Amino acid sequence: DAKTTQPTSMDCAEGRAANLPCNHSTISGNEYVYWYRQIHSQGPQYIIHGLKNNETNEMASLIITEDRKSSTLILPHATLRDTAVYYCIFPSGGSQGNLIFGKGTKLSVKP
Amino acid sequence: SQTIHQWPATLVQPVGSPLSLECTVEGTSNPNLYWYRQAAGRGLQLLFYSVGIGQISSEVPQNLSASRPQDRQFILSSKKLLLSDSGFYLCAWSVDRTGNEKLFFGSGTQLSVL
């Protein structure tokens, strides 16, 4: 079973910021939070990951709460091409390679 | 640079027929390799992962098997396909050994069992 909780779907207007939340209350202190996205009929694409501090790269920003039980992925200026399913995951502790993807959040960017 | 190749892109097979999906990685050595399946409208399910040649870990009991005959080759097989084997199969690789994995996925194989 997935160890994260995400809303099933979200809408965002083109050009506006998209904020995608994720709850991961069982995460351990040394486990990173990873975000991926999957455009229809393609393989998932890595977006960003973080441990404790907020992170930013050319695709997105990641805000992690101080207690690390939740995080938010921010797409600062969403485009129509950002329409995809977004997955928040973290590795199952003690089992290398055991990455559990849940159903993710279906983000629809609308013109 | 590293690349991952997965084929075929689509496959239609009758029930009871065998299956062989192949995945190869270029530009890296001793990668971790993974097979995932995604049923329609559902999340990704980890099927198998491998940390080295001949080392396969199975996450769920099923009609499928995996093999890693070479360092950068990962094969998903079945002797007799079931209708429930239909889905989108994804191969992925990573190199992190600390348990914090950044995955790179292939383009996937859409398998339809009829």
Side-chain angles (χ1 to χ4, degrees):
Chain A
D1 291 335
K3 297 177 181 293
T4 60
T5 303
Q6 299 177 254
T8 301
S9 62
M10 294 182 63
D11 290 341
C12 178
E14 187 178 18
R16 304 296 294 271
N19 297 282
L20 294 92
C22 178
N23 290 324
H24 35 78
S25 59
T26 62
I27 196 169
S28 298
N30 63 344
E31 290 174 333
Y32 285 76
V33 176
Y34 287 77
W35 282 83
Y36 290 79
R37 72 179 183 184
Q38 186 177 23
I39 296 172
H40 183 64
S41 298
Q42 298 182 23
Q45 176 191 25
Y46 164 83
I47 301 173
I48 198 168
H49 71 285
L51 183 62
K52 295 181 180 179
N53 300 320
N54 298 335
E55 301 288 343
T56 296
N57 63 20
E58 65 279 4
M59 292 183 68
S61 295
L62 176 60
I63 308 298
I64 303 173
T65 58
E66 191 170 344
D67 64 7
R68 300 204 340 111
K69 293 184 177 181
S70 65
S71 61
T72 300
L73 179 75
I74 301 173
L75 307 178
H77 305 286
T79 70
L80 299 179
R81 288 177 294 181
D82 291 322
T83 293
V85 177
Y86 287 77
Y87 297 98
C88 162
I89 67 169
F90 64 92
S92 177
S95 178
Q96 186 175 16
N98 193 3
L99 292 167
I100 309 298
F101 284 72
K103 294 184 179 181
T105 297
K106 168 66 174 175
L107 175 68
S108 298
V109 181
K110 301 182 183 299
Chain B
S1 63
Q2 302 92 351
T3 57
I4 180 169
H5 302 280
Q6 187 181 343
W7 67 93
T10 60
L11 189 61
V12 180
Q13 291 285 100
V15 170
S17 65
L19 172 73
S20 181
L21 301 181
E22 188 164 345
C23 172
T24 59
V25 179
E26 296 178 357
T28 187
S29 58
N30 199 24
N32 299 323
L33 297 172
Y34 310 85
W35 279 110
Y36 284 86
R37 177 172 61 198
Q38 186 174 34
R42 304 185 66 179
L44 277 68
Q45 179 187 32
L46 178 63
L47 302 176
F48 302 95
Y49 70 93
S50 170
V51 298
I53 296 175
Q55 301 178 60
I56 308 295
S57 296
S58 175
E59 291 300 308
V60 292
Q62 58 205 321
N63 185 42
L64 302 169
S65 62
S67 62
R68 185 169 176 174
Q70 300 181 44
D71 180 45
R72 291 170 288 177
Q73 183 185 27
F74 206 24
I75 298 172
L76 183 70
S77 304
S78 173
K79 293 182 179 178
K80 289 185 178 181
L81 283 169
L82 306 173
L83 288 173
S84 57
D85 291 325
S86 293
F88 190 49
Y89 288 83
L90 288 155
C91 180
W93 70 274
S94 71
V95 292
D96 196 292
R97 299 292 184 191
T98 64
N100 289 303
E101 309 283 346
K102 181 178 175 180
L103 293 175
F104 299 92
F105 284 86
S107 54
T109 295
Q110 184 64 54
L111 172 66
S112 299
V113 182
L114 305 177

